[in-house]
Amino acid sequence: MSGFVKFDPRTRLAHLEEHLRRIHRNLPLEEARIQLLRCRLVAYKLIAEIGESAYDKLYVDRLMSEIYNKLRELSGMKLSDPYMNPCESQYQILEELKSYRYRDPNERFMRFVREEFREIFIPTLFLLTYLCRSEKKYTWEEVKSQLDVIMHDLGVDVSWEECEEELKRYARKVFPVLDIAVAV
């Protein structure tokens, strides 16, 4: 028997919700925004695992909307949920990532960005690419090309082969929940 404690998806989702409601107390705003991207990726995976109509994309959207509203209220800044406008967000996130090359690479936030790049930015941009229904969007190949340049500039070492396998597994699980009909 394994020594690991495994929680069922409902318990993990409850813990995630609890974490989200406290995120503004635990992290600087800049880091919280990025962690929210990760939390949504996890939430989508959990609702896919639960597989009940009560837990769907709308459930996650409402939860995230509540958290973004709270952060806006507390920070006084205009923050928007990237998933509410995936086409625009695809461009914004890529531009924000490009701007990081001008920051001090030894800064704590930049170390965090490099460490979490594979787990947060790549799958987020992958999902946004498929959620964007505009014909004027970047394709996933175009996004990957831009990410290659960004990762080089930031000193992020990622194997696309490993990423693609993880993205395919994630897509098989999550795309049906998000009503994305593309086969990956």
Side-chain angles (χ1 to χ4, degrees):
M1 185 156 141
S2 168
F4 295 106
V5 175
K6 293 189 177 186
F7 294 108
D8 72 286
R10 279 185 189 76
T11 303
R12 291 173 52 213
L13 186 58
H15 288 183
L16 180 66
E17 288 181 38
E18 192 177 306
H19 170 70
L20 284 167
R21 288 187 170 82
R22 291 190 325 261
I23 201 164
H24 65 281
R25 290 185 264 171
N26 300 329
L27 298 171
L29 180 63
E30 190 172 44
E31 198 171 313
R33 286 179 46 240
I34 293 171
Q35 284 292 353
L36 289 176
L37 296 175
R38 174 197 288 267
C39 290
R40 185 182 295 264
L41 294 168
V42 171
Y44 284 153
K45 184 177 176 192
L46 292 173
I47 63 170
E49 289 174 11
I50 293 170
E52 294 176 10
S53 61
Y55 298 100
D56 59 3
K57 181 181 182 303
L58 188 57
Y59 176 88
V60 174
D61 288 345
R62 281 193 302 262
L63 173 63
M64 297 306 286
S65 176
E66 175 188 326
I67 304 308
Y68 276 98
N69 287 338
K70 181 77 168 177
L71 282 176
R72 263 192 303 277
E73 179 184 305
L74 292 171
S75 71
M77 296 179 68
K78 182 183 176 193
L79 299 173
S80 59
D81 179 351
Y83 284 80
M84 293 301 103
N85 189 342
C87 300
E88 184 179 309
S89 297
Q90 185 188 46
Y91 296 106
Q92 288 174 341
I93 291 172
L94 286 167
E95 288 306 309
E96 182 175 337
L97 288 171
K98 288 174 188 174
S99 77
Y100 290 165
R101 72 176 154 225
Y102 300 111
R103 294 181 70 157
D104 178 357
N106 297 315
E107 175 184 345
R108 185 179 105 47
F109 174 73
M110 290 307 297
R111 287 193 313 270
F112 165 73
V113 166
R114 283 192 305 278
E115 289 167 7
E116 299 298 328
F117 204 93
R118 176 181 173 170
E119 302 298 323
I120 297 174
F121 295 110
I122 292 173
T124 295
L125 285 162
F126 178 75
L127 276 185
L128 291 175
T129 299
Y130 287 100
L131 287 169
C132 177
R133 307 281 191 226
S134 170
E135 292 182 21
K136 296 179 182 178
K137 71 176 183 178
Y138 289 130
T139 65
W140 177 236
E141 291 305 315
E142 290 169 323
V143 170
K144 280 176 47 178
S145 175
Q146 290 192 49
L147 285 172
D148 278 336
V149 172
I150 292 166
M151 291 186 302
H152 177 266
D153 289 347
L154 299 181
V156 174
D157 186 27
V158 169
S159 158
W160 276 114
E161 189 175 291
E162 289 174 18
C163 282
E164 289 290 343
E165 282 306 310
E166 287 177 32
L167 292 173
K168 285 178 186 176
R169 281 191 301 278
Y170 186 80
R172 280 192 294 272
K173 184 176 280 191
V174 173
F175 276 20
V177 171
L178 301 179
D179 198 28
I180 300 173
V182 176
V184 211

